[in-house]
């Protein structure tokens, strides 16, 4: 792979997500949680956001599918996010339609207390799909895609809460992929899982990158180096360095990045 | 070198010897005071329950099969007539039966005859009335309360106005029932819109529609006015409890639904309400126990102390609107009426029987809500 030094020409691949000088505030613009971040996430690659707690990486992730809309006092203070060439904060963009294309997997696995089948079918059902065979197909495809099919195919009608933590998280991933989004955002998807379950989810992520563009927030630098193509390092709401993962981890160009990666702080 | 603060052990004595002193006695005194206070509560409760139970049970049961005094549950309160014959035998039965008895036994002389209002027959009327009042009240309160709770917890934010509204709702819960009673009396009995063919003198405002008039002249003392008053009274309880059970639904469910492209209403309907429903149910059962026991609002807005027709008979004879605007008997008001009578051995069975039935009903509902709650706790693993 060719290492790319900065965000300006991060990759030759077509960028699916373009973040341009984004500023974001949780309190009506009084203080900026994200201060002028610019980066491009190439299509069908894994982009990892790393950085110490409170650096704004999860906040930035939630800007990408406008989950921050749910926080009343949140506000985009400057800049823009373009997905597939469309500014997602434009007035004629429906956040509901956006989220159908930009799915999200959360830190704490959160399946609904319904059956495994109904969890995966949820996204399709709220889109009004009632046809049984369509749903069956989509559920099977999503569960196979999440490497969960063999484990649950005999108990699709059982409660999802009966699954192990790792299985529940993979079920949540299947639930997200079932609606065929373009982008999957993952907010520390392994932080509540044990090492074996983590390994399975990581394996799954490298499978998923064939079909989806993935942006993942992680606390584990090893995880970022194992699964991502590009890594962005954030500190105090600013993007410190962004580039090819190999480059960031072997030869960072900023001292702060090196200190963080080598464990000197954070 | 300084000396160790732990002196060397002297193995001969018990280092953990029990001590007896003022300090230990104070400790015991404290515990026993707390125990005493608890026992006083239990004693009060036991005294009340056993007194009502012992004196009430003879009214509800009888010695031969089916062992339950069905008459008490299938007849409405009637006048009890007590008299003696010349041989000194005592008779007591409802006035109606007395009249028949007199015709059937013309030879026996009736002396020393006394009538006791509402002490004969049963409590079917009050039971039905209370059930209907509670049903109407809960139908209205649940619809408005759940809607308001959904709006408060899911849609509106956390601004100053909203905290003011929340404070107002909490304060409403503390308003004495007589205030609600007077409010309901003024608004529902004298101001609510009614469809009439002839406008009454006290109508505030009327306009003609179709063949008749919509006249704001109130529903008088009626089932509808009582149900509405009770509904307003129980609203704060329902809203607060519903809001709490909505908030108890994990944020993760909402986020997951939103992230899958659900609209706000879809999220609420499919990912929040189903999991809040058991809590809402518990709250409404608790609400039922509260409104079922209220006397003041019913007294002013709905109740009749004496009524010959059952509410269901009115429905069959006079139609739905008359059914809604009829005054009804209610169990708490019936008990209040009975309690005003002078102490008499002929009134007592009715008094204690009614109270026992009422107590069992309220306890039953409390029990249901307790069982529901523990079941929910067991089921909710998220």
């Amino acid at each position: 792979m060719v290492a790319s030094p900065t965000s300006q020409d991060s990759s030759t691949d077509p960028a699916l997500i373009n973040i341009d000088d984004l500023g974001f505030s949780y309190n009506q613009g009084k203080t900026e949680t994200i201060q002028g971040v610019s980066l491009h996430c190439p299509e069908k690659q894994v982009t990892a956001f790393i950085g110490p707690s409170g650096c704004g990486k999860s906040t930035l992730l939630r800007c990408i599918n406008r989950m921050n809309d749910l926080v009343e006092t949140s506000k985009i203070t400057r800049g823009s996010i373009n997905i597939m060439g469309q500014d997602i904060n434009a007035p004629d963009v429906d956040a509901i339609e956006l989220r159908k294309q930009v799915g999200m997997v959360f830190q704490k696995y959160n399946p609904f207390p319904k059956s495994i089948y109904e969890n995966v079918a949820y996204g399709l059902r709220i889109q009004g799909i009632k046809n049984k065979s369509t749903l069956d197909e989509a559920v099977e495809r999503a569960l196979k895609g999440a490497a969960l099919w063999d484990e649950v195919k005999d108990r699709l009608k059982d409660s999802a809460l009966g699954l192990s933590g790792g299985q529940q998280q993979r079920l949540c991933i299947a639930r997200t992929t079932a609606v065929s989004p373009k982008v999957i955002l993952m907010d520390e998807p392994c932080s509540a899982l044990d090492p074996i379950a983590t390994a399975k989810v990581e394996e799954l992520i490298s499978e998923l990158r064939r079909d989806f563009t993935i942006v993942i927030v992680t606390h584990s630098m090893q995880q970022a180096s194992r699964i991502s193509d590009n890594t962005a390092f954030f500190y105090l709401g600013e993007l410190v360095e962004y580039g090819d993962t190999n480059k960031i981890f072997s030869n960072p160009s900023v001292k702060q990045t090196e200190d963080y990666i080598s464990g000197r702080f954070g | 070198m300084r000396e160790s603060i732990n002196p060397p052990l002297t193995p001969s004595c018990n280092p953990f010897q029990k001590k007896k002193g003022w300090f230990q006695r104070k400790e015991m005194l404290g515990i026993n005071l707390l125990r005493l206070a608890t026992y006083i509560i239990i004693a009060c409760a036991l005294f009340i329950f056993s007194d009502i139970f012992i004196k009430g049970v003879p009214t509800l049961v009888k010695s031969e099969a089916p062992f339950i005094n069905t008459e008490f549950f299938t007849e409405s309160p009637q006048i009890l007539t007590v008299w003696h014959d010349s041989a000194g035998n005592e008779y007591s039965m409802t006035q109606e039966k007395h009249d028949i008895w007199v015709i059937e036994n013309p030879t026996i002389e009736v002396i020393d005859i006394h009538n006791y209002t509402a002490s004969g027959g049963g409590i079917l009327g009050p039971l039905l009335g209370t059930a209907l009042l509670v049903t109407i009240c809960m139908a209205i309160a649940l619809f408005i309360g759940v809607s308001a709770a959904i709006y408060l917890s899911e849609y509106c934010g956390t601004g100053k106005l909203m905290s003011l509204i929340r404070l107002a709702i909490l304060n409403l819960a503390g308003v004495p029932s007589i205030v609600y009673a007077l409010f309901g009396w003024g608004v529902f009995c004298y101001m609510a819109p009614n469809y009439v063919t002839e406008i009454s003198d006290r109508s505030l405002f009327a306009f003609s529609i179709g063949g008749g008039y919509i006249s704001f002249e109130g529903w008088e003392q009626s089932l509808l006015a009582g149900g509405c008053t009770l509904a307003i009274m129980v609203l704060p309880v329902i809203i607060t409890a519903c809001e709490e059970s909505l908030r108890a639904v994990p944020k993760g469910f909402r986020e997951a639904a939103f992230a899958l492209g659900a609209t706000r209403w879809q999220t609420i309907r499919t990912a929040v309400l189903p999991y809040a429903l058991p809590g809402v149910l518990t709250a409404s059962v608790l609400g039922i126990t509260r409104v079922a026991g209220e006397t003041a609002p019913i007294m002013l807005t709905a109740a009749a102390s004496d009524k010959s027709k059952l509410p269901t008979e009115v429905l069959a004879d006079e139609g739905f609107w008359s059914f809604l605007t009829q005054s009804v008997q209610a169990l708490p008001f019936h008990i209040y009426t009975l309690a005003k009578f002078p102490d008499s051995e002929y009134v007592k069975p009715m008094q204690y029987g009614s109270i026992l039935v009422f107590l069992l009903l309220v306890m039953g509902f409390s029990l249901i809500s307790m069982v529901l709650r523990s079941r929910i706790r067991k089921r909710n693993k998220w």
Side-chain angles (χ1 to χ4, degrees):
Chain A
M1 268 198 221
V2 183
S4 43
T6 56
S7 60
Q8 271 67 42
D9 54 339
S10 89
S11 177
T12 49
D13 299 307
L16 192 77
I17 305 168
N18 279 300
I19 301 170
D20 183 33
D21 189 33
L22 187 80
F24 175 84
S25 167
Y26 274 124
N27 48 17
Q28 301 284 21
K30 272 181 224 143
T31 52
E32 277 192 328
T33 312
I34 296 171
Q35 304 164 7
V37 168
S38 299
L39 59 82
H40 312 299
C41 304
E43 192 173 0
K44 295 192 179 164
Q45 291 195 10
V46 179
T47 304
F49 290 179
I50 61 168
S53 298
C55 69
K57 53 192 189 310
S58 285
T59 305
L60 179 61
L61 193 76
R62 283 164 175 263
C63 283
I64 302 176
N65 67 345
R66 284 180 57 180
M67 281 300 269
N68 285 326
D69 286 14
L70 305 178
V71 182
E72 224 180 315
T73 53
S74 70
K75 191 181 167 192
I76 301 280
T77 50
R78 57 184 147 132
S80 66
I81 301 176
N82 287 279
I83 297 176
M84 296 183 269
Q86 171 64 48
D87 179 2
I88 60 163
N89 291 302
D92 62 340
V93 167
D94 185 358
I96 308 296
E97 291 304 319
L98 171 71
R99 293 189 197 119
K100 285 178 189 166
Q101 296 295 324
V102 185
M104 192 164 197
V105 176
F106 297 86
Q107 181 172 5
K108 178 81 182 84
Y109 41 85
N110 53 1
F112 299 116
K114 303 174 188 242
S115 69
I116 294 166
Y117 181 95
E118 282 306 322
N119 261 284
V120 182
Y122 181 87
L124 297 167
R125 280 205 197 275
I126 55 172
Q127 288 182 21
I129 296 168
K130 291 198 182 82
N131 187 301
K132 179 104 174 46
S133 59
T134 314
L135 287 174
D136 285 350
E137 250 171 62
V139 168
E140 184 173 339
R141 195 177 341 109
L143 284 172
K144 277 180 175 159
L148 200 59
W149 177 252
D150 292 331
E151 293 162 58
V152 300
K153 64 177 177 218
D154 302 321
R155 46 175 177 148
L156 289 174
K157 295 271 172 281
D158 292 2
S159 168
L161 299 183
L163 298 172
S164 73
Q167 286 174 324
Q168 289 193 29
Q169 188 61 299
R170 278 182 284 143
L171 179 68
C172 290
I173 295 174
R175 183 174 64 182
T176 306
T177 59
V179 295
S180 319
K182 288 272 181 300
V183 181
I184 300 176
L185 308 174
M186 298 187 173
D187 191 356
E188 297 182 36
C190 301
S191 65
L193 304 180
D194 63 56
I196 293 167
T198 301
K200 279 196 172 166
V201 171
E202 286 183 7
E203 203 179 302
L204 174 58
I205 291 171
S206 33
E207 280 294 312
L208 289 173
R209 64 190 283 273
R210 283 192 300 176
D211 301 310
F212 305 99
T213 305
I214 295 170
V215 184
I216 180 169
V217 164
T218 175
H219 255 119
S220 153
M221 283 170 282
Q222 288 82 354
Q223 186 172 64
S225 70
R226 279 194 299 263
I227 60 172
S228 71
D229 301 295
N230 310 288
T231 301
F233 171 58
F234 293 88
Y235 187 63
L236 297 177
E238 286 179 56
L239 179 65
V240 176
E241 190 170 356
Y242 176 52
D244 186 275
T245 298
N246 293 332
K247 161 86 168 54
I248 293 266
F249 280 90
S250 59
N251 186 20
S253 49
V254 182
K255 175 82 168 51
Q256 232 172 356
T257 316
E258 194 186 336
D259 286 351
Y260 183 71
I261 287 164
S262 56
R264 228 161 286 165
F265 84 97
Chain B
M1 224 177 92
R2 77 174 174 85
E3 224 173 283
S4 166
I5 52 166
N6 271 325
L9 290 177
T10 44
S12 58
C13 70
N14 178 1
F16 312 117
Q17 179 72 48
K18 258 190 189 169
K19 287 180 184 140
K20 280 174 191 153
W22 175 231
F23 182 79
Q24 279 72 23
R25 249 177 283 161
K26 225 164 46 176
E27 180 96 4
M28 286 308 293
L29 196 74
I31 294 171
N32 283 325
L33 260 175
L34 299 179
R35 185 175 294 159
L36 185 72
T38 316
Y39 288 168
I40 287 175
I41 300 170
I42 296 172
C44 287
L46 265 181
F47 176 74
I48 294 172
F49 291 145
S50 54
D51 183 59
I52 291 172
F53 200 74
I54 290 165
K55 293 180 183 161
V57 161
T59 319
L60 303 192
V61 298
K62 52 185 183 185
S63 49
E64 70 265 30
F67 301 109
I68 287 180
N69 185 1
T70 45
E71 199 184 56
F72 193 67
F73 296 99
T74 54
E75 279 187 28
S76 274
Q78 290 158 48
I79 295 165
L80 183 73
T81 306
V82 180
W83 72 95
H84 291 88
D85 61 15
S86 46
N89 295 320
E90 189 186 87
Y91 300 87
S92 85
M93 48 184 82
T94 60
Q95 200 176 33
E96 249 174 69
K97 284 184 187 157
H98 162 77
D99 294 344
I100 300 169
W101 184 87
V102 171
I103 296 163
E104 282 170 357
N105 303 281
T107 50
I108 302 176
E109 189 191 3
V110 173
I111 53 171
D112 195 20
I113 183 162
H114 289 283
N115 280 336
Y116 298 92
T117 318
S119 303
I123 53 167
L124 181 63
L127 262 180
L128 267 180
T130 290
L132 286 169
L133 279 169
V134 168
T135 311
I136 289 178
C137 155
M138 290 318 282
I140 298 168
L142 274 181
F143 176 71
I144 300 178
V146 173
S147 309
I150 290 174
Y151 182 73
L152 282 173
S153 99
E154 306 292 320
Y155 282 96
C156 78
T158 46
K160 274 216 176 95
L161 182 69
M162 286 308 143
S163 27
L164 205 70
I165 292 179
R166 289 215 171 80
L167 192 71
I169 291 171
L170 280 179
N171 277 328
L172 269 182
V175 172
S177 60
I178 185 72
V179 176
Y180 282 112
L182 288 168
F183 170 79
W185 188 55
V187 171
F188 299 117
C189 298
Y190 289 101
M191 278 162 67
N194 205 344
Y195 184 78
V196 291
T197 46
E198 212 171 303
I199 302 166
S200 133
D201 288 343
R202 64 160 199 270
S203 176
L204 292 173
F205 171 73
F207 57 88
S208 84
I209 186 165
Y213 301 92
I214 295 288
S215 164
F216 287 77
E217 56 180 58
W219 302 321
E220 297 180 343
Q221 291 200 320
S222 65
L223 198 53
L224 198 54
C228 288
T229 310
L230 289 176
I232 287 179
M233 217 191 80
V234 79
L235 259 183
V237 180
I238 300 242
I239 293 177
T240 323
C242 282
E243 232 194 305
E244 255 163 47
S245 42
L246 284 171
R247 270 168 212 282
V249 176
K251 211 173 126 215
F253 293 179
R254 276 166 249 232
E255 286 190 328
F258 278 129
L260 286 165
T263 61
R264 228 169 229 276
W265 175 238
Q266 277 179 325
T267 302
I268 291 167
R269 196 170 48 82
T270 60
V272 180
L273 268 188
Y275 311 117
L277 210 60
V280 174
L281 220 69
T282 316
S284 45
V285 175
L286 272 182
I288 290 177
T289 51
R290 188 166 169 202
V291 292
E294 278 304 335
T295 319
I298 290 175
M299 239 164 94
L300 286 182
T301 59
S305 61
D306 191 27
K307 196 170 155 78
S308 55
K309 259 186 173 178
L310 283 175
T312 44
E313 289 170 347
V314 174
L315 178 65
D317 296 351
E318 297 169 40
F320 193 64
W321 185 246
S322 305
F323 169 73
L324 283 180
T325 50
Q326 67 177 321
S327 62
V328 288
Q329 289 177 293
L331 206 45
F333 186 53
H334 177 63
I335 290 169
Y336 172 76
T337 314
L338 289 174
K340 283 189 300 184
F341 293 161
D343 202 16
S344 149
E345 55 176 310
Y346 304 109
V347 188
K348 257 192 183 143
M350 188 55 151
Q351 286 173 331
Y352 277 96
S354 309
I355 292 171
L356 181 60
V357 170
F358 190 41
L359 199 68
L360 289 177
L361 270 179
V362 173
M363 277 171 135
F365 275 116
S366 293
L367 202 72
I368 290 173
S369 88
M370 264 151 65
V371 170
L372 270 177
R373 206 171 348 171
S374 72
R375 273 189 154 187
I376 296 160
R377 287 221 184 107
K378 243 183 254 167
R379 216 195 54 183
N380 286 2
K381 283 188 290 186
W382 55 75

